[in-house]
Amino acid sequence: MKIKAAVLRQAPVERPYADTRPLAIESIELEPPGPQELLVKIEAAGLCHSDLSIINGDRPRPTPMVIGHEAVGTIEKLGDGVEGLAIGDRVVMAFLPTCGTCPPCSTGRTALCEPGAVANTEGTLLSGKRRLKSGDQFINHHSGVSAFAERAIVSEYSVVKIEPDIPPVEAALFGCAVLTGVGAVVNTCRVSPGESVAVIGLGGVGLSSVLGARVAGAARIVAIDLSDDKLELARQLGASHAFNARDDDIVEKVRRLTSGGVEHAIEMAGNAAAFQLAFDITRRGGVTASGGLANQGARVDLSPLRLVAEERTIKGSYMGGCSPRRDIPRFIKLYRSGLLPVAKLLSSTGPLEEINEAFDLLDQGKVVRHVITF
């Protein structure tokens, strides 16, 4: 089957992307689904900093590759052995396939699925296969999804069935922004009612953490970013206080506001300075969590003495510590009840042909979530 897809031929690529055109819209071959795989027609796919980090070289991945990992679509064909799904089902795609049997999966930590991590790093599906081709050349998959295309072959373990009535541009965000952002609050940090939370970095994932902190009953929600527009949006979404990260006195101001620091600081900006700030505004005995995926060469300077003397906890949060088949349905219930107003995260939509220009806007911090529609 021939499909139209955005293909990244090499990385890193210089900015601005409207000029350098890192993503070429090409007609490529999509092979049929293999055992326990699905053919999905993509309805909508969100642009995320995790996609951008491949283009700019922060997270090296094998090229050529069809990127895109946050999407919703409809099943058009089933491979052999697929159970519990049917043609016509609406599914959200999660960016890590989960085998269900490796040691992390067996203990409920499916975000650490070992075969899934290997497949994502190598650019294959969970089966180890590649179903995308250009002539005689195989093209790599991104996070088992490759959503910037008209159709995708994905593992059945990469999807979660959802109701058909949710608008696609909103449903897509449950595959990454909501999953990672809300999950960091409720799974990684386990925020309790009355506690204080700071979120550093207010993209789609960070603002989802703001929403998650409100749902969890945090008494104080401190939002921090470089963009005043995003700080205002965070206030609208439930942040009680907002600070521009350029403020030279920000650490002292937050610590004074929260009587020594917040109990949970969640870094979602993806850089070392943001993580350092998160650590510095965390109170004694508090938790500093990072889900921002900084460049692999980034480093921070922390004193082990502070970890001991102040009983600090540092946590990584990948996919919000979520089990997609458990958490996506419960987050959708919160969305339906009005507690997760996901539509407010949407900045703009556009066709696949304008994807390079859209990545410029994301890179410049001018959008929260831009969604490609098909």
Side-chain angles (χ1 to χ4, degrees):
M1 171 189 294
K2 288 287 187 181
I3 63 167
K4 182 170 62 175
V7 182
L8 179 69
R9 289 286 174 180
Q10 62 181 20
V13 181
E14 295 294 323
R15 306 168 175 88
Y17 302 129
D19 295 336
T20 56
R21 317 300 292 179
L23 297 169
I25 309 303
E26 301 181 16
S27 177
I28 62 175
E29 188 72 24
L30 183 65
E31 295 183 345
Q36 297 183 305
E37 294 175 354
L38 316 165
L39 170 64
V40 178
K41 182 178 181 181
I42 305 296
E43 298 175 42
L47 274 63
C48 176
H49 273 273
S50 296
D51 305 312
L52 183 61
S53 67
I54 297 176
I55 298 172
N56 67 23
D58 281 348
R59 298 184 72 215
R61 287 291 184 266
T63 55
M65 173 177 278
V66 174
I67 64 173
H69 66 281
E70 178 185 80
V72 65
T74 303
I75 297 174
E76 290 191 325
K77 189 174 182 179
L78 304 174
D80 292 340
V82 174
E83 297 181 355
L85 295 166
I87 292 173
D89 282 349
R90 190 102 169 286
V91 291
V92 165
M93 282 155 274
F95 59 88
L96 180 75
T98 53
C99 73
T101 58
C102 69
C105 284
S106 296
T107 57
R109 302 190 71 183
T110 55
L112 300 180
C113 176
E114 293 171 349
V118 170
N120 281 6
T121 300
E122 295 182 351
T124 71
L125 299 177
L126 187 62
S127 63
K129 302 293 185 180
R130 295 175 177 86
R131 305 295 183 194
L132 298 164
K133 293 185 75 174
S134 177
D136 295 331
Q137 181 185 36
F138 277 105
I139 295 177
N140 292 287
H141 297 263
H142 179 211
S143 296
V145 179
S146 293
F148 298 146
E150 294 174 315
R151 287 173 171 80
I153 298 296
V154 300
S155 167
E156 67 170 313
Y157 301 111
S158 291
V159 306
V160 177
K161 181 180 175 181
I162 66 166
E163 297 88 345
D165 62 323
I166 303 174
V169 292
E170 298 175 23
L173 304 191
F174 285 89
C176 177
V178 177
L179 194 67
T180 303
V182 178
V185 174
V186 301
N187 293 327
T188 305
C189 292
R190 299 185 181 276
V191 173
S192 296
E195 291 188 318
S196 56
V197 177
V199 181
I200 299 91
L202 302 177
V205 177
L207 286 168
S208 291
S209 290
V210 171
L211 291 176
R214 188 181 67 172
V215 168
R220 279 185 173 154
I221 304 172
V222 180
I224 300 173
D225 198 271
L226 295 170
S227 166
D228 289 334
D229 289 340
K230 290 180 179 179
L231 292 172
E232 177 55 33
L233 179 56
R235 290 188 186 95
Q236 295 173 22
L237 295 178
S240 57
H241 301 81
F243 295 92
N244 193 296
R246 292 190 178 90
D247 188 335
D248 292 336
D249 297 323
I250 187 171
V251 173
E252 187 57 37
K253 287 180 178 179
V254 174
R255 292 178 68 85
R256 186 164 56 247
L257 170 72
T258 56
S259 301
V262 295
E263 285 152 305
H264 305 275
I266 303 172
E267 179 273 309
M268 290 298 187
N271 63 69
F275 179 85
Q276 185 69 60
L277 174 57
F279 185 81
D280 290 343
I281 62 173
T282 305
R283 71 180 304 109
R284 293 166 59 88
V287 175
T288 306
S290 177
L293 292 173
N295 181 287
Q296 61 182 354
R299 296 291 184 271
V300 292
D301 185 12
L302 301 177
S303 167
L305 177 61
R306 290 187 68 185
L307 291 177
V308 177
E310 299 178 10
E311 289 197 354
R312 297 288 205 94
T313 300
I314 296 175
K315 287 188 171 185
S317 182
Y318 189 66
M319 201 164 68
C322 287
S323 170
R325 292 189 175 183
R326 176 197 67 198
D327 290 320
I328 288 177
R330 67 173 182 166
F331 293 165
I332 287 177
K333 288 180 181 178
L334 292 171
Y335 158 81
R336 288 191 178 281
S337 71
L339 293 174
L340 290 179
V342 171
K344 293 183 179 181
L345 304 178
L346 293 167
S347 302
S348 53
T349 62
L352 188 64
E353 288 76 10
E354 297 174 4
I355 193 169
N356 289 295
E357 291 81 0
F359 269 114
D360 276 330
L361 295 175
L362 181 66
D363 184 51
Q364 296 161 11
K366 294 180 178 179
V367 294
V368 174
R369 263 303 189 265
H370 177 89
V371 176
I372 301 294
T373 55
F374 294 86

